[in-house]
Amino acid sequence: MTTRRQKTGKAQSKHQEFFGYRFERPELLTWALTHRSLVYETKPETLPDPASDNEQLEFVGDAVLGLAVAESLFRRFPNSREGELTRLRASLVSRRHLSTVAATIDLGTMLRLGRGEEQSGGRKKPALLANALEAVIAALYLDGGLPAARTFIEKYIVEPTVPELKHAIKAADTFSGAIGDHKSALQEHLQASGSGQPEYVLTAQSGPDHQKRFRVEVRIADGSGGTIPLAESEGTTKKQAQQEAARLAFARLVAEESARKQTSYRERSR
């Protein structure tokens, strides 16, 4: 893999600090913070080169993040079953959580964006922030190995959520599989990808008044006047059914996005 980038912009010092870590190769950090929009506007002839922007690093960062989070959860919750740990890991590596972490550490202010992306509010876009955070994790890994990446992941991605993680473990079967509001997470993901607003449709209800069951389907517009179903679930309240449907839909979209990334990476590597 190519791990060098030409230096652009301001001259860089031999060592560049990033949240307490000193890069031996600061060009890796520059690479991780460079969005495709900047390359498109300034050096379009380099677009075919995977090392021209941070998209390739996102792929590496995603893998490193998954490993580090899995290891952390394994150490913190040694008595938990595989299914519980899998749900917690999915929450911690979700686009929603990563974008929240990136916003918390003001990663958006460090990004190297094109003018168009800058004017459209790119520094605050959840998807862009989540992708950049993965790229930064990859840069830490390539520069300092797993220990450097692990330290950053523990401090900013895992540790702030420990109270919620412990609550989720205690909740066991009542834990829905994510830390936070699933409807908000789905809405942010769809907005970031330009897919519009989700629609929640009550498809069925049953049972007596004191034991009602509601079934809800979440859909998105297909662009031609119709809708596309994403997921369906049920609950004892409409809100509960909506939240669970949103969780399932969000998990589906994230899995599909990850699969597309891996396919794109393999095609670029040929």
Side-chain angles (χ1 to χ4, degrees):
M1 175 186 294
T2 302
T3 58
R4 294 187 60 195
R5 277 191 47 81
Q6 292 183 345
K7 297 179 182 179
T8 58
K10 297 180 180 179
Q12 296 172 308
S13 60
K14 181 179 179 181
H15 300 280
Q16 185 166 331
E17 288 199 12
F18 181 82
F19 292 94
Y21 176 77
R22 290 171 61 83
F23 273 87
E24 290 291 334
R25 292 180 290 168
E27 65 270 18
L28 284 171
L29 181 59
T30 300
W31 182 10
L33 297 174
T34 301
H35 187 255
R36 187 175 179 82
S37 61
L38 179 65
V39 182
Y40 180 81
E41 292 183 9
T42 59
K43 294 184 177 181
E45 70 279 2
T46 67
L47 281 173
D49 179 8
S52 64
D53 58 62
N54 64 7
E55 290 184 0
Q56 191 182 56
L57 286 181
E58 294 169 21
F59 175 78
V60 178
D62 178 67
V64 174
L65 174 64
L67 172 61
V69 168
E71 180 187 43
S72 178
L73 293 173
F74 176 77
R75 288 188 291 100
R76 291 177 184 276
F77 306 107
N79 297 320
S80 294
R81 306 291 295 182
E82 177 190 2
E84 293 174 319
L85 297 178
T86 297
R87 290 195 292 271
L88 294 180
R89 181 182 61 185
S91 174
L92 290 174
V93 304
S94 70
R95 315 307 291 170
R96 179 176 184 270
H97 184 57
L98 295 183
S99 64
T100 298
V101 171
T104 300
I105 65 175
D106 289 327
L107 186 62
T109 63
M110 309 173 201
L111 299 180
R112 305 174 72 240
L113 306 177
R115 183 178 301 177
E117 190 65 50
E118 177 85 54
Q119 294 176 343
S120 67
R123 296 189 186 279
K124 295 183 179 181
K125 291 182 179 178
L128 193 152
L129 289 173
N131 292 341
L133 187 62
E134 286 182 336
V136 164
I137 289 171
L140 289 165
Y141 170 73
L142 293 172
D143 191 75
L146 189 57
R150 182 192 292 120
T151 298
F152 177 83
I153 291 168
E154 279 287 333
K155 183 174 182 179
Y156 295 103
I157 296 178
V158 179
E159 288 183 2
T161 68
V162 168
E164 292 179 81
L165 295 174
K166 290 181 177 179
H167 173 75
I169 290 293
K170 291 180 180 179
D173 292 340
T174 61
F175 173 54
S176 58
I179 303 297
D181 182 351
H182 310 303
K183 290 180 66 177
S184 295
L186 177 62
Q187 181 171 317
E188 291 171 6
H189 185 85
L190 291 173
Q191 288 178 339
S193 62
S195 300
Q197 297 283 341
E199 177 185 8
Y200 295 89
V201 180
L202 180 65
T203 58
Q205 57 181 317
S206 59
D209 290 341
H210 65 286
Q211 288 183 325
K212 281 283 189 183
R213 298 288 298 179
F214 300 91
R215 191 160 191 83
V216 171
E217 183 177 75
V218 57
R219 308 168 180 172
I220 56 173
D222 63 4
S224 59
T227 58
I228 301 173
L230 293 179
E232 189 176 31
S233 188
E234 65 177 31
T236 56
T237 66
K238 293 179 183 178
K239 182 177 180 180
Q240 184 185 68
Q242 290 174 351
Q243 284 284 357
E244 180 61 6
R247 183 187 72 80
L248 294 173
F250 183 75
R252 169 187 169 180
L253 293 176
V254 169
E256 291 175 348
E257 181 180 287
S258 178
R260 286 195 297 270
K261 275 188 177 182
Q262 293 186 37
T263 299
S264 176
Y265 176 78
R266 287 195 294 267
E267 291 176 349
R268 291 201 302 262
S269 299
R270 289 176 182 174

